[in-house]
């Protein structure tokens, strides 16, 4: 087999330029000089005998060939990272990295507690938490950039066959009011009372807002009749606004535990209505699952749910030291097959 016309460093540089939009910002992100980045790109284009960037505009734009190389390059880099982490696994959780994804609410209020518990048991494992929209998080799991994720939104139909989706927990959405509100004195309120309240909500285009509206609709609450007086871009801002007496809102119970204990917010109960959404754990069953990820699934996730959890292990399971050669050969074969 002839030598490849590119190096891993060149693929990293290509990815950085595409991500940052300029050679200079890419150089800064990689802690190298801009001339070094330009030279590597020139060498890469000469080796491939094709232009990779359209240099006519202010922003570095990939050519069609550049997009093609970037697509395969990201797969190659992901497989390289996966191989390194598999080798680190041989140290039996005495190192390595666990990468967890989450949608906004679970990533802000639930995952930090889980990660804290995990770090107490495995202090030598580095943990990264990536908090993004359900769609972006799902694609990251599918692409092998994230080990596992906990999400509350709907999985894109094109990903449902490639991901293992495990029902995890029910997340209750609570109606919160200022403690001084007249309805806060009642044990329960009626559904019609909602249509007389002034609501504070997330931006109408946000994923969480869409999920909340869907859940409310399934509970028989007509969201179009709710008086949205203010839209904010974070749950923390909404909680502060409600505390200040500016309106009411629906938020996850996990986001208001401290405020309820301190009497800063009032949770109003709606007669005969319980608003819940489902949380799911998603993993990519075709990717190597590290010992750290397996330990998190086995030891941490069950402590935060009452549902029975069953995670299918890819076979073979963890590679033993004597099978390292076979493991590396398999990774190499997979890289070649994905390029074909």
């Amino acid at each position: 087999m002839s030598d490849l016309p590119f190096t891993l460093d060149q693929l990293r540089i290509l990815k950085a330029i595409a991500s940052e939009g300029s050679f200079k910002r890419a150089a800064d992100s990689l802690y190298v000089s801009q001339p070094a980045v330009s030279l590597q790109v020139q060498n890469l284009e000469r080796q491939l005998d094709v232009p990779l960037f359209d240099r006519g505009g202010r922003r570095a734009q990939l050519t069609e060939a550049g997009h093609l190389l970037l697509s395969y390059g990201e797969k190659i880099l992901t497989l390289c990272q996966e191989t390194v982490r598999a080798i680190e696994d041989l140290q039996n959780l005495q190192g390595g990295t666990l990468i967890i994804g989450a949608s906004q609410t679970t990533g802000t209020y639930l995952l930090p507690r889980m990660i804290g518990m995990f770090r107490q048991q495995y202090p030598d494992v580095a943990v990264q938490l990536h908090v993004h929209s359900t769609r972006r998080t799902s694609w990251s799991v599918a692409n092998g950039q994230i080990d596992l994720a906990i999400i509350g939104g709907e999985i894109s139909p094109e990903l449902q066959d490639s991901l293992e989706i495990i029902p995890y927990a029910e997340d209750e959405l609570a109606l919160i009011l200022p403690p001084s509100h007249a309805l806060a004195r009642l044990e329960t309120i009626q559904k019609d009372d909602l249509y007389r309240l002034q609501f504070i909500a997330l931006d109408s285009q946000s994923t969480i807002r869409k999920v909340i509206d869907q859940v409310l609709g399934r509970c028989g609450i007509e969201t179009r009749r709710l008086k949205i007086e203010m839209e904010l871009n974070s749950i923390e801002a909404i909680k502060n606004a409600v505390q200040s007496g500016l309106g009411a809102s629906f938020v996850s119970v996990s986001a208001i535990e401290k405020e309820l204990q301190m009497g800063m917010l009032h949770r109003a109960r709606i007669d005969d209505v319980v608003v819940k959404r489902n949380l799911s754990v998603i993993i990519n069953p075709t990717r190597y699952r590290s010992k750290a990820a397996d330990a998190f699934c086995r030891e941490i996730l069950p402590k935060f749910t009452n549902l029975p959890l069953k995670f299918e292990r890819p076979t073979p399971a963890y590679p033993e030291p004597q099978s390292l050669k076979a493991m590396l050969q398999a990774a190499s074969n997979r890289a070649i097959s994905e390029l074909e």
Side-chain angles (χ1 to χ4, degrees), residues 51 245 290 340:
S290 68
E340 292 177 344

Side-chain angles (χ1 to χ4, degrees), residues 300-334:
I300 304 301
L301 289 180
K303 295 181 180 179
F304 291 82
T305 181
N306 294 324
L307 297 178
L309 299 177
K310 183 179 180 181
F311 296 92
E312 298 294 337
R313 286 283 308 150
T315 56
Y318 307 122
E320 299 299 331
Q322 62 267 25
S323 65
L324 177 58
K325 181 178 180 181
M327 179 190 68
L328 293 177
Q329 183 62 51
S332 175
N333 290 341
R334 186 165 64 186

